[in-house]
Amino acid sequence: MVKAENIEKAYKTAKERYAEIGVDTDKVIAQLKKVKLSMHCWQGDDIHGFLNPDQELTGGIGVSGDFPGIARTPDELTADLHKALTLIPGKHKVQLHTLYAVTDQKKDFNEIGPEDFKYWVDWAKKEGIGLDMNPTFFSHPKVKHNFTLASPEKQIRDYWIEVGKKSREIANYFGKELGQQSINNFWIPDGFKDNPIDKQGPRERLIASLDEIFTKKYDEKNTIEAVEGKLFGTGIESYTVGSHLFYNNYAISRDKLWTIDAGHWHPTEDVSDKFSAFLPFGKGLMLHVSRPVRWDSDHVVIMDDALIRITRSLVRDNQLERTNIGLDFFDATIDRVAAWVIGARATQKALLQAMLAPIDQLKKAELSYDFTTRLAVTEELKSYPFGAVWDEFCLENETPVGTDWLEDIHQYEKDVLFKRN
């Protein structure tokens, strides 16, 4: 157990070190407190949901591992989320999907409405958090030949259009009830495994479907839509209808947010470079923080070089207010609650390290072509005591410091998770 007096002592020294280069650590801590992460509920149950939990995962989605204690009911999932939220500094949000509706009736995806998410709203009010939404366009028999909104069959498109419309009603309900804007993220798995003849037709159908879904206007104080592209997926290796460029253009032309998932790009691409190219033209971003390993494998987020570049870009270009940061990964080889905590805390640490820099001074050096100072200072910053500031941030938010949170997880495993099996 880390002693509070040792944390305060280390923080005092770190504060003095950063002050020497013009960085006020107290202000940085206050800035980080304002950043809300959007936790993805599906890490807790391997994306089974409650509407058709035995349905095989489709859309190129797969979860590996069988760590004991998977959440099987709404109460188990919210209990696990609550435990994770107590170990992550600050107040945040939770992302849901259509398939997480809680109803005692037999309902199809296109019949799910706000009334089926009252359970979640009541829970969110108790937790003091917001909710984001995602319409589910996978794990359903009406995903026909890997197509939904871009399907050549009108009846298939009409079904999924209704799912999208219902999702917007739900997101608006979240915003009105919780007093926080609900981001409604649209991702579809449509595409071809092998080379198509017609590349234009599916995209024209997708445009028409999305335009119909978004016809009704909602107060953006309550909800706003985001559209998410993908490089490829299992089963659609040759052609993805909703590509990055497609959604980039759609977001700009329709005044929507563009969702950038860190795992949906070529491994050698710098995802962080996309932000400054889009934001001068676009409304804003939804960011899904994920970690690809060789492909879009959605590993638990760690504080690696890719995440550091992402957070630096957002902080240095002052784009945090226009960017919604969500998590999106799933791993059943480790404790699912611990995965949330590891990924969220890693993201916050990367944000903190990005904020702990004399950014204005570095920009001045750059503008005066003093690239020597730019490189020297950014290299020296890597060994500055940001860990002591992180510990203070945890202490001020009354969350465990260092690996102390792991003791809580192990106890939760004994008391709760292992008893489920």
Side-chain angles (χ1 to χ4, degrees):
M1 181 71 69
V2 182
K3 294 182 179 180
E5 56 265 33
N6 290 338
I7 295 171
E8 295 291 359
K9 183 178 179 181
Y11 177 65
K12 183 175 182 295
T13 301
K15 183 176 180 177
E16 292 172 353
R17 286 289 311 281
Y18 278 107
E20 291 171 357
I21 58 172
V23 177
D24 186 329
T25 56
D26 288 340
K27 287 184 178 180
V28 168
I29 287 175
Q31 182 184 7
L32 184 57
K33 283 181 179 179
K34 297 177 182 179
V35 180
K36 290 179 181 285
L37 303 182
S38 191
M39 299 257 294
H40 57 311
C41 77
W42 47 93
Q43 162 60 31
D45 77 329
D46 302 345
I47 327 177
H48 289 299
F50 308 125
L51 290 180
N52 52 1
D54 297 324
Q55 173 73 34
E56 181 183 0
L57 284 174
T58 63
I61 298 171
V63 181
S64 59
D66 58 356
F67 194 91
I70 184 174
R72 303 157 299 183
T73 67
D75 287 347
E76 288 180 352
L77 185 54
T78 52
D80 292 352
L81 280 163
H82 170 78
K83 170 52 68 174
L85 289 167
T86 64
L87 303 176
I88 300 166
K91 280 290 184 182
H92 302 286
K93 302 171 80 178
V94 166
Q95 299 178 67
L96 301 175
H97 253 283
T98 302
L99 52 79
Y100 288 93
V102 180
T103 175
D104 57 4
Q105 303 176 44
K106 183 65 175 176
K107 287 189 173 185
D108 206 346
F109 284 5
N110 65 337
E111 300 169 321
I112 295 299
E115 68 277 6
D116 302 305
F117 282 87
K118 184 179 185 303
Y119 173 94
W120 285 101
V121 166
D122 290 344
W123 174 77
K125 287 179 179 178
K126 183 179 178 181
E127 293 284 336
I129 63 172
L131 295 174
D132 289 329
M133 185 61 189
N134 298 261
T136 303
F137 292 102
F138 55 86
S139 298
H140 191 281
K142 286 197 183 302
V143 180
K144 190 172 180 181
H145 298 295
N146 291 327
F147 274 86
T148 61
L149 292 177
S151 171
E153 299 182 42
K154 186 177 185 302
Q155 62 177 1
I156 297 294
R157 295 199 304 275
D158 287 347
Y159 173 86
W160 291 110
I161 286 170
E162 189 60 27
V163 173
K165 288 180 178 179
K166 289 288 189 181
S167 175
R168 297 186 70 217
E169 291 181 25
I170 295 164
N172 186 62
Y173 166 63
F174 289 165
K176 288 175 67 175
E177 289 291 320
L178 300 174
Q180 298 185 47
Q181 186 186 60
S182 178
I183 311 301
N184 194 7
N185 184 62
F186 283 71
W187 171 83
I188 64 170
D190 297 32
F192 287 111
K193 184 173 183 64
D194 217 333
N195 297 320
I197 303 301
D198 180 9
K199 292 186 176 183
Q200 184 80 13
R203 287 176 173 149
E204 290 177 345
R205 292 193 293 270
L206 178 53
I207 291 170
S209 294
L210 290 171
D211 285 350
E212 183 173 343
I213 290 171
F214 299 145
T215 298
K216 185 174 180 178
K217 302 300 180 185
Y218 289 99
D219 189 338
E220 289 190 359
K221 180 177 66 176
N222 298 329
T223 185
I224 188 172
E225 294 77 33
V227 288
E228 176 182 359
K230 193 167 185 173
L231 182 65
F232 75 96
T234 304
I236 57 166
E237 292 87 354
S238 296
Y239 171 77
T240 300
V241 182
S243 65
H244 296 307
L245 184 57
F246 174 91
Y247 279 126
N248 181 311
N249 291 331
Y250 189 88
I252 290 174
S253 63
R254 302 311 195 266
D255 203 32
K256 304 297 182 185
L257 303 182
W258 184 32
T259 300
I260 294 180
D261 187 305
H264 288 187
W265 301 80
H266 286 290
T268 55
E269 283 191 274
D270 185 353
V271 175
S272 68
D273 194 43
K274 317 299 178 186
F275 310 154
S276 59
F278 174 79
L279 286 170
F281 308 97
K283 190 180 192 71
L285 288 172
M286 176 69 193
L287 176 64
H288 278 184
V289 183
S290 181
R291 177 167 60 105
V293 176
R294 302 187 186 279
W295 68 295
D296 179 23
S297 49
D298 292 295
H299 282 58
V300 178
V301 170
I302 60 174
M303 192 178 165
D304 58 6
D305 288 345
L307 180 61
I308 289 171
R309 287 195 298 269
I310 285 171
T311 54
R312 279 180 183 166
S313 181
L314 293 175
V315 171
R316 291 173 177 177
D317 288 334
N318 196 28
Q319 296 293 2
L320 283 173
E321 289 189 3
R322 298 182 63 199
T323 306
N324 304 274
I325 304 176
L327 306 180
D328 186 11
F329 52 78
F330 26 88
D331 187 346
T333 66
I334 64 173
D335 184 299
R336 295 170 183 82
V337 181
W340 273 317
V341 180
I342 293 167
R345 287 171 70 114
T347 303
Q348 290 179 299
K349 287 177 186 177
L351 284 164
L352 176 65
Q353 190 178 60
M355 294 172 180
L356 288 168
I359 297 172
D360 290 341
Q361 296 176 33
L362 288 168
K363 286 183 177 180
K364 288 179 181 178
E366 186 171 86
L367 284 171
S368 62
Y369 309 113
D370 186 357
F371 305 139
T372 303
T373 294
R374 181 183 66 183
L375 183 59
V377 173
T378 52
E379 280 301 298
E380 289 300 324
L381 281 171
K382 293 177 180 178
S383 60
Y384 266 62
F386 99 95
V389 184
W390 167 254
D391 291 344
E392 175 68 16
F393 178 70
C394 290
L395 191 67
E396 290 187 17
N397 282 277
E398 299 180 347
T399 50
V401 175
T403 57
D404 287 351
W405 64 269
L406 199 53
E407 297 176 17
D408 279 352
I409 289 291
H410 290 324
Q411 191 62 49
Y412 189 71
E413 289 174 348
K414 294 176 183 177
D415 296 342
V416 180
L417 299 184
F418 294 165
K419 292 181 179 179
R420 291 177 185 169
N421 295 74

